[in-house]
Amino acid sequence: MKKLTALIIAYFAATGAYACDICGGGLGNSYNGLLPNFNKRFVGVRYHFNQLYTQLDIHGNITALSNKEKYHTAEIWSAWNIHPKWRVMAIIPYSKIFKYNYGTTSEINKSGLGDINVSTYYNLLNTSNNSNHNVWLGIGVKLPTGEYRKEDLDTNSPNIYQLGTGSLDLIASASYDIRVDNMGLNTNLSYKWNTENSEKYRYGNKTTLNASLYYLHAFSEKSNIRPHAGIQYEYQTKDRTLGYILDQTGGYNLNLNVGAEATIHKLAVGVFYQSPLQQNISNHRTELIQKVGMHVTFTF
């Protein structure tokens, strides 16, 4: 159970790193479910899909100028325990983005490699008596490997129709977990600091707070299922270009997250669903709809 709790903590320490930073608007796109249960390392494939409306009117209604955008992302992900207190994780995403305009009834799309993420985590505290306590600290870097096109920037809409941000960004996180028997509560705080890209565009920095309840039900020594549910709050500052603040960017959202993680010997399968409870993104000009995800992972 100590290893299980440590894995859950590591995931929440990593949420700021394991997502496309702009697909789905940046906000509402930092949740990916629990990590699979593993001893030393894992490698797998994940898929997540999210959709949203952009360029709504000032009251949040769809008009002839509005778009419905869909983001499909497949990822190769892996984690390695290089020491009892140290872990390294990496993710390589490939995305396909669709943008449908209600006025012209036309759709455009693009696809390609996204921004690769690499992160390191340190287990600062791991105690066990009547209850288990864990504290993890993480630091990560997002590489500008995804294509960023200045031509796709629309000052009337958030700059999210991109495969990458074009910038080298940093993510810092801290998390605390307490578990009694098979029930646990996890909280995590992360901060993502974005730099300016070569086109003089800088995405807003993002703060993310998660709180989640989880429960372990074991079928055998090597097979179990872990349902989980929680909430996530995100706040993102406004973007800047050439030193000017872009008004139709930034904001906040509060999400409901539910899912489950199943382990059968060395095979792990996970699913999750995320739905907004409250949001104000780009001064109500952008509206998140939902996000779903799944993975198949081999642990060894």
Side-chain angles (χ1 to χ4, degrees):
M1 285 300 295
K2 289 183 179 179
K3 291 180 179 178
L4 172 65
T5 304
L7 292 171
I8 294 171
I9 296 295
Y11 159 72
F12 282 96
T15 50
Y18 289 150
C20 169
D21 297 285
I22 51 179
C23 300
L27 286 171
N29 198 46
S30 298
Y31 186 80
N32 294 277
L34 299 181
L35 280 176
N37 191 5
F38 70 104
N39 292 324
K40 294 183 178 180
R41 50 196 173 269
F42 73 74
V43 62
V45 177
R46 301 192 307 175
Y47 166 80
H48 58 84
F49 167 76
N50 53 309
Q51 55 184 338
L52 67 155
Y53 298 112
T54 60
Q55 212 159 328
L56 302 172
D57 68 14
I58 59 174
H59 302 293
N61 299 317
I62 295 175
T63 70
L65 297 177
S66 301
N67 304 307
K68 186 174 185 179
E69 303 186 21
K70 299 179 181 180
Y71 298 81
H72 300 265
T73 302
E75 303 164 336
I76 298 174
W77 68 327
S78 182
W80 296 70
N81 292 335
I82 58 176
H83 183 272
K85 285 185 172 292
W86 291 94
R87 171 170 296 153
V88 176
M89 296 186 183
I91 183 169
I92 304 174
Y94 184 93
S95 296
K96 189 161 188 177
I97 310 170
F98 296 87
K99 178 188 284 190
Y100 172 83
N101 180 262
Y102 284 91
T104 63
T105 66
S106 62
E107 184 176 81
I108 58 176
N109 68 82
K110 65 167 66 176
S111 60
L113 178 69
D115 288 340
I116 295 174
N117 292 271
V118 180
S119 301
T120 300
Y121 303 95
Y122 176 71
N123 190 196
L124 181 66
L125 176 66
N126 187 349
T127 63
S128 176
N129 37 57
N130 293 329
S131 59
N132 293 339
H133 301 265
N134 275 270
V135 176
W136 281 79
L137 304 177
I139 183 111
V141 59
K142 185 195 67 59
L143 306 174
T145 51
E147 181 186 36
Y148 177 88
R149 284 173 48 89
K150 182 180 179 181
E151 295 81 1
D152 293 331
L153 170 62
D154 181 356
T155 55
N156 294 318
S157 184
N159 188 17
I160 58 177
Y161 187 64
Q162 304 283 357
L163 294 170
T165 65
S167 59
L168 182 70
D169 306 326
L170 301 176
I171 306 103
S173 60
S175 62
Y176 170 70
D177 183 279
I178 179 171
R179 180 184 57 80
V180 179
D181 296 326
N182 291 338
M183 291 292 300
L185 172 66
N186 176 274
T187 58
N188 172 76
L189 176 66
S190 67
Y191 183 79
K192 183 173 179 292
W193 184 73
N194 299 311
T195 65
E196 186 177 79
N197 63 26
S198 60
E199 300 295 343
K200 305 300 180 183
Y201 193 95
R202 180 175 178 178
Y203 287 91
N205 296 338
K206 182 167 65 174
T207 302
T208 304
L209 176 64
N210 291 299
S212 185
L213 287 168
Y214 59 88
Y215 178 80
L216 171 67
H217 177 74
F219 300 104
S220 67
E221 184 178 350
K222 296 184 178 181
S223 300
N224 61 69
I225 187 169
R226 294 176 286 158
H228 55 88
I231 58 173
Q232 176 192 54
Y233 175 80
E234 291 182 297
Y235 173 78
Q236 187 165 348
T237 61
K238 294 183 182 297
D239 300 352
R240 293 174 177 263
T241 183
L242 299 173
Y244 294 97
I245 296 175
L246 297 179
D247 189 52
Q248 305 303 332
T249 59
Y252 75 90
N253 71 304
L254 179 68
N255 298 321
L256 170 67
N257 310 308
V258 294
E261 182 77 25
T263 300
I264 305 173
H265 297 282
K266 294 185 177 182
L267 181 67
V269 179
V271 296
F272 75 87
Y273 173 80
Q274 182 181 66
S275 178
L277 297 174
Q278 187 177 359
Q279 58 182 302
N280 180 359
I281 304 172
S282 307
N283 293 326
H284 296 290
R285 301 295 298 275
T286 298
E287 180 183 340
L288 305 177
I289 302 175
Q290 62 182 355
K291 181 179 180 181
V292 295
M294 61 194 71
H295 79 86
V296 178
T297 302
F298 180 71
T299 65
F300 57 102

